[in-house]
Amino acid sequence: MSNQAENLAALVPAAKAELVVEKRPIPTPGPDEVLVRNHFIGLNPLDWKRQLSGMFISSYPAILGTDSSGIVESVGSNVTKFKPGDRVLGGADGMISQKPENASYQTYTIFRATSTSKLPSNISLEQAATLTTATITSYLMLFHVLGLPKPELKTPPPNATVLIWGGASTVGNLAIQFAKAAGLNVYAIASKKNHEYLRSLGAKLLFDYHSDTVVEDAVAAAEREGKPIAYVADTITSVATLGSVQDILSKSTATVKNVAHTAPWPEDFKKLDGINADMVHGEEVWYKPDMIELGSKVFNEDLPKWLESGVIVPPPYRVVEGGVGKIQDALKVLQAGVSNQKVVVGV
Ligand SMILES: NC(=O)c1ccc[n+]([C@@H]2O[C@H](COP(=O)([O-])OP(=O)(O)OC[C@H]3O[C@@H](n4cnc5c(N)ncnc54)[C@H](OP(=O)(O)O)[C@@H]3O)[C@@H](O)[C@H]2O)c1
């Protein structure tokens, strides 16, 4: 890591182009913002999808990336919850605000204070970079889209099973833990090699999506327990996964049949009667007033406590060292497909 105060950014210079590194000014935070010197950048599938498709990019050059962890450099005039020197993670809103300084693929990033979390001492900066997007997405899937009772309400959980399809994705890792914390009966779908780990996070029963009987096996197990599958968080969201998910809910005797998905419902793909399905929109915490408030509660208040108490543990990860110049290679690793592993880049 360089000690020089310079801001190196990995820019997308033009539509679909590979990232190039350029020096940019170190930005100044606005009144409700925090400037962070990044130490680790967390990569998300959305980043390479934006690079290749141009979605959420209004002009070039553009800077990608939402997640990173580091040290607070300075804070805006209204910010009271953070101070220079704090160890934090953040979620940068550049895909919505279109401000290049609000993106994580650079040395210094501006975050809204409402999307920043102070890190407890048991969490390293490396671990922290894995968390932002996966935390808010999984939280919203369960407690906003699926309408399950939040853990802190301590309400008795419904007599039903929640199924996390794609438990070994980073969103799935967090979803299993939140569902467990809410007292739910949790099943997860993942490759067999990840079952033991996901069981340690709180999944009671696991099923392999490579099995021809995955649908029947999951339904039968839940019916035997007297807790039919009523809620599904499909973290993968393809015609194949949604097809299996709808099959499961059609065979389930549950009266409620709710699905949260992470990508748009595929065009021309039939939504079956009796199934309520909605997409999660993690980015809403940057522009919808009620969601900004919810995001602020999660990031400013809850996440530090969950991490300190071990209610939430960060997903497994691999670190790619070498700074922002290594992000393009690391993105290709992510795009090629990872298994139960977040990719973070050290800067
Ligand atoms: N809408 C939003 O707000 C939002 C926010 C965040 C992410 N997302 C989207 O959510 C998706 C997940 O993101 P992520 O970062 O968590 O992904 P990720 O960690 O890169 O996901 C990799 C995992 O996907 C699993 N997988 C692949 N195909 C599967 C299948 N057919 N069935 C079950 N599991 C399968 C693999 O499991 P095994 O190793 O066990 O095979 C692998 O561990 C991405 O498409 C992302 O763009 C949307």
Side-chain angles (χ1 to χ4, degrees):
M1 195 190 311
S2 154
N3 288 324
Q4 278 177 309
E6 65 175 3
N7 186 28
L8 293 179
L11 302 165
V12 192
K16 298 187 193 333
E18 296 234 321
L19 302 179
V20 293
V21 176
E22 262 183 34
K23 201 167 159 182
R24 288 181 49 86
I26 297 175
T28 305
D32 301 304
E33 295 176 333
V34 172
L35 175 69
V36 173
R37 183 359 176 140
N38 295 323
H39 285 220
F40 293 93
I41 298 169
L43 310 191
N44 285 296
L46 180 66
D47 303 344
W48 61 258
K49 292 176 193 173
R50 288 177 69 199
Q51 184 180 17
L52 297 183
S53 71
M55 67 175 154
F56 294 115
I57 297 179
S58 61
S59 63
Y60 293 94
I63 309 181
L64 303 171
T66 53
D67 297 9
S68 63
S69 61
I71 307 294
V72 173
E73 187 79 10
S74 60
V75 300
S77 53
N78 294 337
V79 175
T80 54
K81 290 177 176 157
F82 302 96
K83 59 179 188 319
D86 283 347
R87 298 164 71 250
V88 294
L89 63 74
D93 72 4
M95 62 184 260
I96 295 298
S97 69
Q98 293 296 316
K99 293 182 189 162
E101 56 274 23
N102 296 30
S104 68
Y105 284 10
Q106 53 196 327
T107 324
Y108 289 87
T109 296
I110 300 272
F111 297 100
R112 287 163 172 263
T114 51
S115 297
T116 306
S117 286
K118 225 182 262 186
L119 301 176
S121 59
N122 61 324
I123 297 296
S124 69
L125 287 170
E126 290 180 2
Q127 289 175 307
T130 67
L131 281 164
T132 318
T133 294
T135 299
I136 196 66
T137 307
S138 55
Y139 183 90
L140 294 180
M141 286 180 98
L142 294 178
F143 306 122
H144 185 67
V145 180
L146 292 178
L148 289 161
K150 293 182 182 124
E152 66 267 26
L153 298 178
K154 310 245 181 274
T155 12
N159 190 38
T161 294
V162 59
L163 176 71
I164 314 298
W165 193 292
S169 68
T170 47
V171 175
N173 259 241
L174 273 288
I176 290 172
Q177 298 180 71
F178 281 130
K180 169 79 176 166
L184 294 153
N185 200 48
V186 191
Y187 290 4
I189 308 284
S191 293
K192 187 140 189 62
K193 64 180 175 196
N194 294 319
H195 286 188
E196 196 180 330
Y197 179 75
L198 300 180
R199 195 170 290 118
S200 77
L201 294 183
K204 183 172 176 185
L205 293 179
L206 288 124
F207 304 90
D208 188 343
Y209 60 94
H210 300 96
S211 157
D212 291 339
T213 57
V214 61
V215 165
E216 291 73 16
D217 293 348
V219 173
E223 299 289 329
R224 264 198 309 275
E225 277 203 81
K227 292 176 186 280
I229 298 173
Y231 304 93
V232 183
D234 180 354
T235 71
I236 306 302
T237 309
S238 62
V239 167
T241 63
L242 288 172
S244 300
V245 165
Q246 292 211 108
D247 215 1
I248 285 175
L249 290 174
S250 304
K251 292 179 163 69
S252 166
T253 58
T255 45
V256 172
K257 298 180 180 193
N258 289 357
V259 181
H261 47 101
T262 52
W265 191 267
E267 246 177 81
D268 301 328
F269 186 64
K270 192 170 161 26
K271 204 178 275 185
L272 298 183
D273 287 346
I275 293 179
N276 308 304
D278 266 313
M279 181 174 161
V280 64
H281 288 279
E283 73 279 7
E284 286 180 351
V285 298
W286 297 317
Y287 67 91
K288 277 193 167 177
D290 57 328
M291 298 301 275
I292 292 175
E293 206 176 306
L294 181 59
S296 164
K297 181 176 175 323
V298 168
F299 285 117
N300 298 161
E301 294 170 33
D302 296 338
L303 184 55
K305 287 186 220 153
W306 293 329
L307 290 170
E308 187 165 32
S309 62
V311 166
I312 292 298
V313 299
Y317 59 91
R318 84 164 73 164
V319 179
V320 175
E321 286 295 356
V324 295
K326 291 288 182 197
I327 295 176
Q328 184 64 71
D329 289 346
L331 268 185
K332 287 180 181 166
V333 169
L334 182 62
Q335 188 184 353
V338 291
S339 181
N340 204 34
Q341 194 173 59
K342 189 83 177 169
V343 180
V344 307
V345 175
V347 287

